[in-house]
């Protein structure tokens, strides 16, 4: 499991969370992390769901973050210096 700690839901303030490790690719869905992971090591998310309102949050597993940093473009908000 990820070491992430969610203390309260940003939508409803609830503290009843459920967590699961889920694949970033599905048999019938899109690849949500293209180019990340390998043939035998598929990229995964840690999924948190608020048990009060259903708000859902995905975090890339920490072991895949170096690949994300290497292969994805860094987001730079408009008006922010590089």
């Amino acid at each position: 499991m990820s070491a992430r700690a969610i203390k309260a839901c940003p939508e409803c303030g609830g503290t009843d969370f459920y967590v699961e490790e889920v694949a970033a690719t599905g048999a019938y869905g899109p690849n949500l992390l293209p180019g990340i992971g390998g043939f035998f090591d598929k990229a995964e998310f840690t999924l948190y769901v608020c048990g009060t309102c259903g708000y859902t949050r995905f975090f890339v597993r920490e072991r895949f973050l170096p690949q994300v940093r290497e292969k994805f473009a860094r987001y730079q908000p408009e008006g922010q210096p590089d």
Side-chain angles (χ1 to χ4, degrees):
M1 290 286 181
S2 172
R4 256 198 225 280
I6 298 178
K7 295 181 173 70
C9 176
E11 291 295 313
C12 73
T15 57
D16 182 30
F17 284 97
Y18 297 86
V19 62
E20 184 70 37
E21 303 296 330
V22 296
T25 59
Y28 301 105
N31 183 352
L32 299 176
L33 291 172
I36 306 301
F39 188 75
F40 293 108
D41 189 24
K42 302 295 183 195
E44 296 176 329
F45 290 107
T46 301
L47 170 68
Y48 291 87
V49 179
C50 175
T52 304
C53 73
Y55 179 81
T56 303
R57 191 172 234 184
F58 290 87
F59 291 96
V60 174
R61 299 272 314 263
E62 289 182 25
R63 74 173 192 259
F64 296 108
L65 286 177
Q67 290 179 44
V68 168
R69 289 184 193 108
E70 177 184 318
K71 296 181 180 187
F72 286 21
R74 185 177 179 136
Y75 172 72
Q76 190 67 37
E78 287 186 38
Q80 297 289 324
D82 290 337

